[in-house]
Each structure stands twice: as structure tokens, then as C-alpha cells.
Amino acid sequence: MVEIQRPSPTDLLTIGEVVARTGVAASALHFYERKGLIHPERSAGGTRLYPRHTERRIAIIQVAKRLGIPLSEVAEQFETLPRDRMPSLRDWNRLNERWRARLRARQLELERLQQEMTQCIGCGCVSLNACLVMNPGDQLAAEGHGARRLLPIEDEAPDVSGPGAPADAGTGSSA
């Protein structure tokens, strides 16, 4: 009978194996290493060798990216995890609770913004003096009248009648 050896979380994988198993580019692995998110070992010849449990950290990084959690926060949370083993279910639950609260706060903020946009549609506040979305608290009023954050419409002719303009500019005459 042939015994099949199961992989161990401490088995070492080459960068090519990690790329193939996780779908993450080698350049991203190097970046994660520079950010202190993963910690490969080095062979005598200097080749990066990743403990198999690094795949779990990479999976957590990918989930965090999809959730919009900055890598700096991921690195901060990874500081609470052991470097020499796979994160446990308890470790994951701890991260999950922190990130769940953050995601809920973002969700509430997006819902609030959606309500403000719904209230804003058709309100006619071209000047944006009272717009809760573009000018909360009427912060732009100190800058004067009119829309302060809107870009000029490109098909309008520029105003050339200001200082330094030719005398006949904007008059339609060529004499």
C-alpha cells in the first residue's frame, strides 16, 4: 500500500508554485514582502521559499482588497498573527469582527450618501449653496456666488473680453 503524504502548512513553496496556487503575480508577492505582509525564507542560493501557510495570508490580503481595506491596515492586523503558522479560525474570526464593523460603517455612509443624492435630484441648486453632497454645510459660500466645483462646459466660447484681450475680441468685427 502506497502512503500519500499530505502537504504540511510548513512545506516550502517556490515563488512559481505560490503564483500558480494563488493566482497572485510574483511582483505582487514581492510588494507584499516589502510591506511586511508575507515573510519568505531564503535558500542557500537566495531563492525565495514560502511556507505553505503563506497562501492563507495571501487569501486574507485578497479578501481585504476586495473589501476596500487598505494594505496598511492589513499589515497592522497581521502583526497580531504568528508568522510561523497558518492563521487559525480564531485568528480569522478576530480579523473578521474588526473588518465587519468597518464595513458596516462604510455601508451606512453609502446609504446616507444615497439618501442625500435622492433628495438632491431635481432640487435645482445650481449654485450648490445648500447641496449636501457637493457642499456640505455651505462651505463654498465664502468663495462667492455660483457653482464652485463644476467644470465649465467645453462647448461654450471662452470669455475673451477681459483685461488683456484684443480691442475687437468678442465684438464680431474685424476692423
Side-chain angles (χ1 to χ4, degrees):
M1 181 153 120
V2 176
E3 237 182 271
I4 299 174
Q5 253 189 315
R6 293 178 47 132
S8 165
T10 57
D11 288 347
L12 296 176
L13 304 172
T14 65
I15 194 165
E17 291 171 317
V18 174
V19 166
R21 292 179 58 83
T22 64
V24 174
S27 58
L29 296 177
H30 295 160
F31 178 75
Y32 296 158
E33 181 183 348
R34 286 191 306 273
K35 293 293 183 183
L37 297 169
I38 59 175
H39 310 281
E41 298 178 16
R42 297 285 183 157
S43 70
T47 303
R48 288 177 172 87
L49 297 172
Y50 297 86
R52 186 175 294 275
H53 63 79
T54 300
E55 292 174 325
R56 183 64 52 95
R57 282 180 174 246
I58 294 168
I60 293 170
I61 293 166
Q62 296 305 305
V63 168
K65 282 176 50 179
R66 288 185 61 207
L67 298 174
I69 297 170
L71 289 179
S72 59
E73 186 174 325
V74 175
E76 185 180 296
Q77 296 302 321
F78 276 9
E79 288 297 317
T80 68
L81 301 176
R83 289 185 181 188
D84 62 341
R85 68 167 173 80
M86 185 172 7
S88 67
L89 180 59
R90 192 169 114 193
D91 294 329
W92 171 246
N93 285 335
R94 193 172 60 244
L95 288 176
N96 190 20
E97 283 302 315
R98 289 182 185 136
W99 289 344
R100 183 178 305 211
R102 179 187 174 121
L103 289 174
R104 181 64 183 143
R106 282 183 45 206
Q107 181 181 19
L108 291 172
E109 176 63 18
L110 288 172
E111 288 172 3
R112 184 188 63 75
L113 181 59
Q114 186 177 20
Q115 286 175 335
E116 289 177 0
M117 285 177 52
T118 301
Q119 293 168 0
C120 186
I121 293 174
C123 69
C125 64
V126 177
S127 69
L128 301 178
N129 283 340
C131 182
L132 295 174
V133 176
M134 295 296 289
N135 186 22
D138 199 16
Q139 297 168 352
L140 298 176
E143 295 181 22
H145 299 293
R148 296 286 170 215
R149 292 192 175 168
L150 296 180
L151 296 175
I153 298 172
E154 292 190 26
D155 64 352
E156 285 185 359
D159 180 13
V160 291
S161 60
D168 63 339
T171 63
S173 65
S174 57

